[in-house]
Amino acid sequence: MPLPPVFYHYFRTPLPYTRTLLLQEKIHQLQLAARRSSSHHDILLLLEHRPVYTSGRRQTEQELHAERARLTSIGAEFSIAARGGQLTYHGPGQLVGYPLLDLARTSPPIGIRDYICIMQKMIQSYLLRTHEITHVPSDNTGVFLDPVTKIASIGVQVRHRLTTHGFAMNVTKEPLEWFAQVVACGLVDVKAGCIAEAKGKNVRVEDVVPGIVDAFGTSYGRDMVKLCPQNAGELGEAILALEEDALAAGGWLKEPLLR
Amino acid sequence: MFSTIRQAARARTMSLTTARTSPSNIMRIPGCRTIVTKKYTEEHEVVAFDDETGLGAVSITHHAQESLGDVVFVELPAVGTKVSKGDQIGAVESVKAASDIYAPVSGIVTEVNEALNSEPGLLNRSPEEKGWLCKIKLSAPEEINALLTLESYKATWEA
């Protein structure tokens, strides 16, 4: 019995982080409810965020208080997420992917370590096949161009075998200056890299979306079907609502407000 | 202590076929202290229930720690928290995945394993013993009966 397709949607306008968290949560609840009748869908959201720094669940609000003040003063949002991993940056020029999958569709279910491993390999193989960018192996999760340059990060949450959050891959140079303001992922000497810098060519986030969708389908063994939000019930409505919010939010800071 | 549990588990399986009307699947061996019953959930939690103290020690299974990878952080509930079966009571983080843990039974959290704060790797090395997460004083001990036996639990994930 073949697995159903993964429905994907690419948001063309950078999204506010907190509202996107709410969308993920909504989809998670819809999946949880629909799973009882096995009518739930697996979704892949592809997007950029407006400038935001996020931390995982290891750090407490107290620990982050000073960082929160500093980072919002340079013009970014700040949010704590329930995903694994530590402090990181999301913003325009970086492709963010949120696979919202049911790991228990297969029997036996996909283990969490395998799920993360496949995600990492997917990004590595996309970079190699489409951009001839080779990665170096690392003990740290994520994709590295060399021991001190990280091009993609992973941070995931799993509840009742339903996944939320996912991966982030730097495409243009725009995120790099923002990354330079923090120690991301707890890795002190590591800086951010991106496809544009690694290849010395102009690439936009929208250019990488089709290749990532393909790589995702191949790596996870799933057919990828473009979601039509107009025909997708409650899920589709929530997506359209978020897109409207994103447009209404207007422009964003291209670089941090440094004194 | 664990060889006693294994012997008791075998003996219990045999006795169940002849004594189906027995409401409790705890076996009492005359002269020895009460056996601890281990039951499992589909979400890979295991509770070791001691019916003398009414306490259930909650941990994740060996299979769970294998499929998670190296554990780097454990989120535990606060002592005194009242939980209902199925409530989220904490999380385990490994290789950038935070995986929620759910209360297998209802009750009050009486103790948490503080060693996990400094040694989260205990969950990998000794998931069902030294890496225990918390102890719950069961408010409804009969909930134990609805949980899975080791065999039924394995059937949920073995190919």
Side-chain angles (χ1 to χ4, degrees):
Chain A
M1 172 95 186
L3 294 173
V6 173
F7 294 93
Y8 69 92
H9 178 75
Y10 168 54
F11 292 86
R12 293 192 169 270
T13 314
L15 305 177
Y17 187 77
T18 319
R19 290 276 293 105
T20 316
L21 268 186
L22 290 175
L23 176 66
Q24 286 197 73
E25 198 50 34
K26 181 162 186 92
I27 298 178
H28 175 77
Q29 295 302 330
L30 288 173
Q31 286 175 324
L32 208 46
R35 188 161 65 175
R36 286 182 214 130
S37 51
S38 294
S39 58
H40 58 305
H41 300 299
D42 285 347
I43 310 282
L44 172 64
L45 300 177
L46 293 164
L47 55 123
E48 294 165 272
H49 277 305
R50 298 168 67 85
V52 61
Y53 292 94
T54 68
S55 71
R57 61 203 296 172
R58 271 189 249 175
Q59 291 154 296
T60 60
E61 181 60 52
Q62 251 182 339
E63 285 168 4
L64 295 166
H65 188 68
E67 274 296 76
R68 182 191 275 274
R70 180 173 77 88
L71 297 172
T72 46
S73 77
I74 63 172
E77 254 189 89
F78 189 95
S79 189
I80 302 182
R83 55 160 174 78
Q86 296 168 271
L87 186 72
T88 194
Y89 170 79
H90 299 302
Q94 181 196 82
L95 176 72
V96 169
Y98 293 141
L100 307 172
L101 309 182
D102 179 358
L103 296 179
R105 275 198 201 271
T106 53
S107 188
I110 305 177
I112 288 171
R113 191 164 56 169
D114 290 340
Y115 172 62
I116 303 280
C117 190
I118 297 173
M119 195 180 291
Q120 202 165 275
K121 290 201 173 132
M122 171 205 55
I123 300 171
Q124 289 161 350
S125 88
Y126 166 76
L127 288 171
L128 183 62
R129 295 214 183 119
T130 310
H131 301 283
E132 291 170 342
I133 294 176
T134 49
H135 73 280
V136 303
S138 172
D139 283 340
N140 295 302
T141 309
V143 182
F144 291 78
L145 301 181
D146 61 55
V148 296
T149 310
K150 191 175 189 193
I151 192 169
S153 299
I154 291 175
V156 153
Q157 183 184 18
V158 183
R159 287 170 285 174
H160 301 292
R161 280 144 311 159
L162 293 176
T163 66
T164 48
H165 299 273
F167 63 89
M169 181 178 73
N170 299 326
V171 179
T172 74
K173 292 189 197 168
E174 203 173 326
L176 270 41
E177 187 60 35
W178 295 91
F179 267 108
Q181 306 310 313
V182 289
V183 171
C185 313
L187 299 170
V188 175
D189 296 317
V190 171
K191 65 186 200 300
C194 64
I195 296 179
E197 202 173 60
K199 296 313 288 178
K201 66 180 182 186
N202 248 354
V203 194
R204 298 164 308 170
V205 169
E206 58 189 79
D207 300 327
V208 312
V209 168
I212 284 286
V213 169
D214 268 346
F216 189 90
T218 308
S219 301
Y220 285 100
R222 303 289 288 273
D223 288 330
M224 305 299 294
V225 171
K226 193 164 175 196
L227 183 77
C228 199
Q230 286 79 2
N231 298 338
E234 237 185 297
L235 163 65
E237 280 167 24
I239 287 178
L240 292 171
L242 182 52
E243 286 203 312
E244 271 182 44
D245 277 358
L247 281 169
W252 57 85
L253 275 177
K254 294 280 188 292
E255 32 183 58
L257 291 168
L258 303 171
R259 268 170 268 279
Chain B
M1 181 193 164
F2 286 90
S3 61
T4 320
I5 290 177
R6 280 196 281 277
Q7 286 163 18
R10 277 198 286 275
R12 185 177 72 229
T13 322
M14 290 187 325
S15 76
L16 271 176
T17 57
T18 50
R20 271 188 211 287
T21 51
S22 167
S24 156
N25 49 10
I26 295 168
M27 185 157 151
R28 292 180 198 281
I29 299 173
C32 295
R33 61 153 289 175
T34 316
I35 303 301
V36 170
T37 319
K38 262 192 172 184
K39 292 297 272 293
Y40 300 78
T41 70
E42 261 188 38
E43 310 270 3
H44 311 291
E45 290 106 17
V46 48
V47 54
F49 177 59
D50 182 339
D51 82 332
E52 200 177 312
T53 59
L55 286 181
V58 180
S59 24
I60 61 169
T61 64
H62 176 70
H63 171 73
Q65 73 78 17
E66 254 180 354
S67 78
L68 277 174
D70 290 339
V71 174
V72 297
F73 185 70
V74 186
E75 220 177 77
L76 296 168
V79 170
T81 311
K82 191 164 169 224
V83 297
S84 298
K85 179 176 159 130
D87 282 354
Q88 190 251 11
I89 52 166
V92 173
E93 191 186 323
S94 62
V95 289
K96 305 306 175 79
S99 195
D100 283 22
I101 316 171
Y102 304 94
V105 289
S106 314
I108 306 214
V109 177
T110 55
E111 218 183 316
V112 297
N113 187 356
E114 303 283 358
L116 290 176
N117 292 330
S118 50
E119 279 193 82
L122 273 176
L123 269 185
N124 294 111
R125 294 195 296 277
S126 179
E128 297 183 33
E129 298 166 43
K130 297 208 186 83
W132 62 274
L133 298 163
C134 63
K135 293 192 180 153
I136 297 180
K137 173 93 183 170
L138 272 72
S139 54
E142 60 277 7
E143 279 178 342
I144 285 283
N145 298 336
L147 298 179
L148 304 170
T149 59
L150 180 57
E151 296 76 29
S152 315
Y153 164 66
K154 278 188 180 167
T156 64
W157 54 263
E158 262 174 356

